[in-house]
Amino acid sequence: MKESIILWLSSLVIVFLLSYFKSVFGEYYPITSTFSVNGQKVSYKLDKYESGDTYKLIIRSDYKELEGEVIINSDKSKNHSIKLHKDRDILFAEIRKKDVGSKFSYYIQLKSEDRNYRLPSNNIVEFTFFGKIPGMVNGLYIIFLYTGLILIVRSGLEIFKTNRRTKNYLVITSIVLITLLMMINPLYLSYKFDYINKTIPPIQNLFPIHLLLIVLLWIATTVYVFIKKKDTPLGLITSILCLLIYLFS
């Protein structure tokens, strides 16, 4: 019992750390920073994506005289300027998909009494509008994705247990991963990329190669273990490979 608790806790910690690093080093991680304007604090978070048709950009400023605008460039709009509005200690602007398109780049130009500031300095932010994903679909995707990852880790760690049930974990994990690949993920991606009632996407857009590779690796490992009828470190090796594929996808 104690072994199982330790292995389950280890699985949760490993998946948490893996997801954290994937998020922090991912292409959509926001740009955040804090700087000073005449001794007053200004904080900002520049997002790189939004699910829906409107993105609200917010800057918090203790300096009351700060003004600014958002400069946007896209195929639909060149050097499009949106003025930052004020509400107490907040500067904000609403960027609408219908005005700038689904993909665009932007930066912020701020102005104090004696100086101009560009955010981010000497750079731009690439932004994408994704489709609105229903709460139930998003919830199912999160449940199956992280359940699958936890089971992948737990199956691999079963090699360190005294009374092993490797085959049971391999089968359960296969069921979760196949359901994610064949049912949940295609629906999730259809909403995310606005395919619903608009276009028929190429099949590779609904079945990403990294997820397909993970499922095939796992099924092959499961079949091999059942055919050989003996416990081997193969489950641990496959778990590591699957986690690496997920991390770098």
Side-chain angles (χ1 to χ4, degrees), residues 56-68:
K56 188 172 183 178
L57 188 152
I58 297 176
I59 298 173
R60 300 186 182 277
S61 173
D62 293 337
Y63 185 71
K64 304 303 180 183
E65 305 304 319
L66 195 64
E67 297 179 345

Side-chain angles (χ1 to χ4, degrees), residues 2-20 145-161 169 173 218 235-236 239-240 243 246:
K2 186 177 180 180
E3 278 185 329
S4 294
I5 293 174
I6 292 174
L7 293 178
W8 278 112
L9 289 176
S10 299
S11 301
L12 291 171
V13 171
I14 290 171
V15 171
F16 173 79
L17 292 175
L18 185 76
S19 300
Y20 173 77
L145 174 62
Y146 287 102
T147 299
L149 289 174
I150 291 170
L151 286 172
I152 285 173
V153 177
R154 182 62 183 83
S155 300
L157 294 179
E158 187 69 4
I159 194 70
F160 300 109
K161 196 168 179 288
Y169 283 112
T173 307
W218 200 262
L236 177 60
S239 295
I240 295 172
L243 294 177
Y246 170 74

Side-chain angles (χ1 to χ4, degrees), residues 36-236:
S36 175
V37 176
N38 293 340
Q40 302 294 310
K41 184 173 71 173
V42 178
S43 301
Y44 63 89
K45 180 168 80 78
L46 307 181
D47 293 301
K48 297 181 180 180
Y49 78 95
E50 179 66 48
S51 296
D53 297 326
T54 303
Y55 167 55
K56 188 172 183 178
L57 188 152
I58 297 176
I59 298 173
R60 300 186 182 277
S61 173
D62 293 337
Y63 185 71
K64 304 303 180 183
E65 305 304 319
L66 195 64
E67 297 179 345
E69 58 183 355
V70 186
I71 309 299
I72 296 172
N73 281 286
S74 67
D75 292 337
K76 191 173 182 179
S77 180
K78 300 293 184 182
N79 293 319
H80 181 65
S81 174
I82 301 178
K83 182 178 175 59
L84 291 170
H85 301 285
K86 292 184 179 181
D87 183 9
R88 297 183 182 179
D89 60 344
I90 291 176
L91 295 172
F92 69 93
E94 289 191 351
I95 303 173
R96 295 180 175 84
K97 182 178 179 179
K98 66 178 182 179
D99 297 327
V100 298
S102 59
K103 290 187 177 183
F104 61 90
S105 62
Y106 74 93
Y107 66 90
I108 299 170
Q109 195 73 43
L110 297 178
K111 182 179 180 182
S112 65
E113 292 178 343
D114 56 356
R115 186 177 172 184
N116 293 332
Y117 304 84
R118 173 170 169 157
L119 310 177
S121 58
N122 301 320
N123 205 349
I124 59 174
V125 181
E126 298 291 342
F127 190 95
T128 302
F129 274 114
F130 291 116
K132 188 70 175 177
I133 303 170
M136 181 176 291
V137 175
N138 193 55
L140 286 172
Y141 175 78
I142 292 172
I143 290 171
F144 274 84
L145 174 62
Y146 287 102
T147 299
L149 289 174
I150 291 170
L151 286 172
I152 285 173
V153 177
R154 182 62 183 83
S155 300
L157 294 179
E158 187 69 4
I159 194 70
F160 300 109
K161 196 168 179 288
T162 305
N163 299 314
R164 300 170 187 167
R165 295 185 296 172
T166 304
K167 292 181 179 179
N168 292 348
Y169 283 112
L170 287 172
V171 171
I172 294 172
T173 307
S174 296
I175 294 171
V176 172
L177 292 178
I178 291 172
T179 304
L180 175 64
L181 174 68
M182 302 303 297
M183 297 177 60
I184 308 299
N185 196 56
L187 185 60
Y188 173 85
L189 294 179
S190 294
Y191 279 106
K192 180 178 180 179
F193 294 109
D194 256 345
Y195 296 143
I196 302 293
N197 297 326
K198 292 184 178 180
T199 184
I200 299 176
I203 192 167
Q204 64 268 22
N205 288 13
L206 298 180
F207 299 94
I209 188 65
H210 71 276
L211 184 54
L212 187 61
L213 187 57
I214 288 172
V215 173
L216 290 177
L217 271 173
W218 200 262
I219 292 175
T221 300
T222 302
V223 172
Y224 178 84
V225 170
F226 271 86
I227 290 175
K228 291 298 182 180
K229 296 183 180 179
K230 62 179 181 179
D231 206 352
T232 69
L234 182 61
L236 177 60

